[in-house]
Amino acid sequence: MNNSATLLFIFFLVALITGCQSVVEHGPRANSAIHFLVQDRSALFSSGNFDNKKTVYVKTPTFKSVHLPLLATLMKEYGFNVTSDKDNADYLISITAFITMPFKKNGGAMPYTAEYLLSISEELPVIKPLLIPGEPAKKQMDKMAKLVNRATNNGANFDMGPNPISLGSTFGGSLGGIIAGATVGVISTAIGTASQNNIREGLAGFNFKIFSYSASGSGIGFNIYSASTRPEHPETLLRAAIEYAANEMGVRK
């Protein structure tokens, strides 16, 4: 394929993928205050082709493919047939999962990896609602998601999976533990951007793409964000996003 043909193919592929994307806000279900913002990242592999009986290997979106065992365990609760055996898995699922949490006592927040938060042995503190009256939920969530993506280079600084501290570290329901255990790369990136002071607590992100070994180069994925109009436990927001993904993929038990 010559250079002109290659460029034309790349342009066509980008246009196809972009054209398949959509951003939709879904309101809360009964007895819930949690809203969802869903960006469809589907391309050449339809969710209808996903076999929920086959195994998936949960990893970071990096070449080194760091396994995310705690997130995989949580996903298993919602019907995903997860495996820790990468070589024999039917699908690879690359995930960037985070929750924006308080970064300093006088205001400001930053995204923390879900794997790190799930590793903490003590109870996480309830966080303030992201969604406030006077502005559409979709606009608030979309704005915050873009700030997080910009501050972390579209999730590139979540590549390490669990933060580089001993798992099961003390949190004690305060800010001290989470700040002390934060990934150095994420903190330095967040501090180094003008948007850092505008990031607010209360947004959970579950951004994933599934690749099939039998269909090289193709995949299906969603960016799913959850936020609430009332205070919530961080894990509640994360679970809501995972449950939504499970429903979309037809794996919900």
Side-chain angles (χ1 to χ4, degrees):
M1 185 181 290
N2 60 39
N3 289 340
S4 296
T6 301
L7 289 174
L8 183 61
F9 174 75
I10 293 173
F11 176 80
F12 172 77
L13 184 60
V14 170
L16 174 65
I17 293 173
T18 303
C20 290
Q21 291 182 345
S22 63
V23 180
V24 181
E25 188 261 330
H26 296 272
R29 302 187 179 109
N31 302 316
S32 173
I34 298 176
H35 292 245
F36 301 91
L37 186 71
V38 182
Q39 180 185 19
D40 183 356
R41 300 170 60 200
S42 305
L44 305 177
F45 169 36
S46 167
S47 59
N49 296 330
F50 177 73
D51 187 345
N52 56 35
K53 294 185 176 65
K54 292 186 176 181
T55 56
V56 297
Y57 178 82
V58 181
K59 70 180 191 69
T60 56
T62 63
F63 179 76
K64 290 184 290 186
S65 300
V66 178
H67 184 44
L68 299 172
L70 302 181
L71 197 57
T73 299
L74 192 58
M75 291 172 61
K76 186 176 181 179
E77 292 184 29
Y78 291 93
F80 286 93
N81 186 12
V82 300
T83 179
S84 59
D85 185 356
K86 178 186 177 183
D87 293 335
N88 292 309
D90 298 302
Y91 298 103
L92 296 178
I93 177 167
S94 300
I95 296 177
T96 297
F98 67 87
I99 305 171
T100 57
M101 300 279 290
F103 171 58
K104 46 190 177 182
K105 294 182 179 180
N106 61 344
M110 62 174 285
Y112 291 86
T113 66
E115 192 76 1
Y116 165 60
L117 295 176
L118 291 172
S119 77
I120 296 172
S121 59
E122 296 187 20
E123 185 74 9
L124 294 172
V126 170
I127 53 180
K128 296 176 182 177
L130 174 72
L131 304 178
I132 57 177
E135 192 172 13
K138 179 179 179 180
K139 185 175 181 180
Q140 294 184 69
M141 295 174 73
D142 187 50
K143 176 182 178 181
M144 201 54 54
K146 287 177 179 176
L147 282 173
V148 170
N149 288 335
R150 196 155 50 231
T152 62
N153 191 22
N154 288 314
N157 291 291
F158 290 119
D159 289 349
M160 299 180 73
N163 295 45
I165 61 169
S166 59
L167 297 184
S169 61
T170 299
F171 197 123
S174 68
L175 290 177
I178 194 168
I179 293 174
T183 302
V184 174
V186 175
I187 285 183
S188 61
T189 301
I191 290 176
T193 65
S195 62
Q196 190 274 332
N197 290 330
N198 295 320
I199 294 177
R200 293 169 42 222
E201 62 189 278
L203 180 73
F206 185 74
N207 306 340
F208 71 96
K209 197 167 187 67
I210 295 179
F211 297 91
S212 171
Y213 274 126
S214 62
S216 179
S218 63
I220 179 173
F222 298 89
N223 291 340
I224 300 176
Y225 303 99
S226 59
S228 183
T229 58
R230 66 189 183 198
E232 301 281 358
H233 189 279
E235 190 173 317
T236 300
L237 291 174
L238 178 63
R239 282 179 173 273
I242 293 174
E243 181 180 15
Y244 194 100
N247 289 333
E248 287 291 303
M249 298 301 299
V251 301
R252 184 78 170 98
K253 290 182 179 179

